[in-house]
Amino acid sequence: MSDIIGYFGVTENDLRTVVTEALSGGGSYADLYFENSLINNLSLRDGAVNRVSSDVDFGMGVRVLSGDRTGYAYTENITLADMLKAARTAANIANSKTAAVPPLKISEKRFKNYYPVEKSWEDVTVKDKAPFLQKLNDRIFELDSHVCKVNVRLSDSSSYIVFFNSEGLLCSDYRPMVSLSAVCVMEKNGRIENGYAARSFRKGVEFLTGELVETIAQSVVRQTSLMFEAVIPKGGEMPVVMAAGSSGILLHEAIGHSFEADFNRKKTSIFSEKLGKQVCDKSINIVDDGTLPENRGTVNFDDEGIESQKTYLVREGVLSSYIHDRISAEHYRVAPTGNGRRESFRHAPIPRMRTTYMENGNISESDIIAGVKNGIYVSSFSNGEVQIGAGDFTFFVKSGCLIENGKLTQPVKDINIIGNGPKALADIAMVGNNLKIDHSTWTCGKDGQGVPVSQGLPSVLVKKLIVGGTAK
C-alpha cells in the first residue's frame, strides 16, 4: 500500500468494510475520496508582508450510485465509526433489497505523473517565501515612477488524495498548486488605474525564480500603464479578433460549459442534439486536456479514479465528444474522459473542464488583423458567464485595441463582449498559428464548486459579436 494511503491511517480492510456498508442498501456502485490539503497564503501590502494564513482541509466523502440517483455524505473525522456512519447515510439513496457484496479484490493503480515536484511546499517556511514577494513589489516600483501602490499574494497548497471504489480500484496522488499574483496601482495627473498579472502552476518551490518575478512585474506594469491611453469605444455589432492566450475564455464560457455531458444528458445544453454534427469550420479542433505538464488544470487522474487524457471535443469542425464523468459516460455508453472533478471531499464529482483550448490554424495574427477594416482586438479579460440553455454569453474585457483599416490603433478598456456560443463558434472565420495557454489563476465555478482550470487559444477572428461600449 502506498505511503499516501498510510498517511490517512486507514487499512485495506477499512476500505473494504466502508465500501461494503455503502452498498448495503442495494446501490450499484460506491466510491471513497480521501483528502488532506495544506494551504498557505502570504500577502504583501504597503511594502511589507503583513498577512499570513495556513489552513488544513481534511476528511473523506462516500458516494453511492443507484440508477440515476446519487447519495453523498462526508466526514471530517477519519475513524472507522465515522466513515461507516457516512457510508450508511449515502447508502440511503438506494432502496432495493440488500444484496450480498462479494469480497473486494483491491487493485492499486499508478498513473503517469504530470507534475513531479523538486521541493515540496511543506519543506519551506514563511521566511523562505517572503523575500520573493518583496522582490516583486520592489521591481514593480522600479519599472515606473507612477506606481503608487502594489499588492502581492502568494498561495501554495499540497493536497494528498486517495481514491477507492467498489470495483476494487485504489489510487493515490500528491497534487501541488502555487499562484503568485500582483495588483499594480498607478496615478497620473490625479487619475488612477490598476492592472493585474499572475502565474499559477502545479509546481513545488522551484516555481519561485527571479525570471518569474521579472515576468509578472513587466506584465502588470505594462498593462496598467496602457490603461491611461485607453478609451471606451463606440459599441455595436462588429468583427472581433481575440488575442492568443486568455481569450480562451471564449471556449471555456461560451462553448466548454455547454459541452459538459450533464447539461446535455438533461437536455439543458444547446448542444444536446448536436453530437456528431458539424458545428463550425472544418479547420477548427477544440481540446480539453488534463495532461499538460505542470499545468493548473492538469490531473494525473480525475476525482473518480479515471486516468487523465487529451479529449477532442471538436475535431475538424464536428462535435465529437462531450465532457464526461462516470455517470454521463454510462448514460451515453462511452468511456469516461477523465473529467469527473470536485472542489473537495465535501462534494460529489461532476463533469468539469481541465485545460480547454483550440489547436493552431495556419494564419498569422498580423494577417488576421489586416483582414479587418473596422473592429476590435481584445487581449485580457476579468470574468465571464454563460446561460447554458440559450448559449448566450458575456465577457468583461479589461484591455484591447481598436482595429482601423487593418491596423491596431487606440487602446480600449472596460467593455463587454456579448454573443451566443454556437453562433460565435460558427462565425470563427480565421484561426491563427500562435496558440498560447494562459497560465493565470483561472478558477471555474459550477453548482457551488470551484476547481482550478486553464484555457488557451490562438488568435481568432469572430465575424460578428456585440461590443458594449459608448453610444457615441
Side-chain angles (χ1 to χ4, degrees), residues 141-159:
F141 273 101
E142 286 175 3
L143 286 171
D144 197 305
S145 61
H146 294 97
V147 175
C148 59
K149 191 176 185 64
V150 172
N151 295 333
V152 179
R153 178 182 173 90
L154 174 67
S155 175
D156 65 77
S157 65
S158 300
S159 294

Side-chain angles (χ1 to χ4, degrees), residues 241-253:
V241 175
M242 309 196 80
S246 67
S247 295
I249 194 172
L250 171 72
L251 299 181
H252 182 97
E253 294 289 357

Side-chain angles (χ1 to χ4, degrees), residues 191-212:
R191 179 177 162 190
I192 294 176
E193 295 288 353
N194 65 80
Y196 172 84
R199 294 294 184 273
S200 183
F201 290 90
R202 289 199 184 276
K203 283 187 175 183
V205 180
E206 62 275 7
F207 169 79
L208 296 174
T209 64
E211 181 181 2
L212 172 71

Side-chain angles (χ1 to χ4, degrees), residues 50-71:
N50 49 28
R51 181 172 294 181
V52 178
S53 66
S54 294
D55 296 292
V56 176
D57 208 15
F58 184 87
M60 62 87 65
V62 184
R63 179 175 64 157
V64 177
L65 303 183
S66 179
D68 290 334
R69 295 174 297 175
T70 299

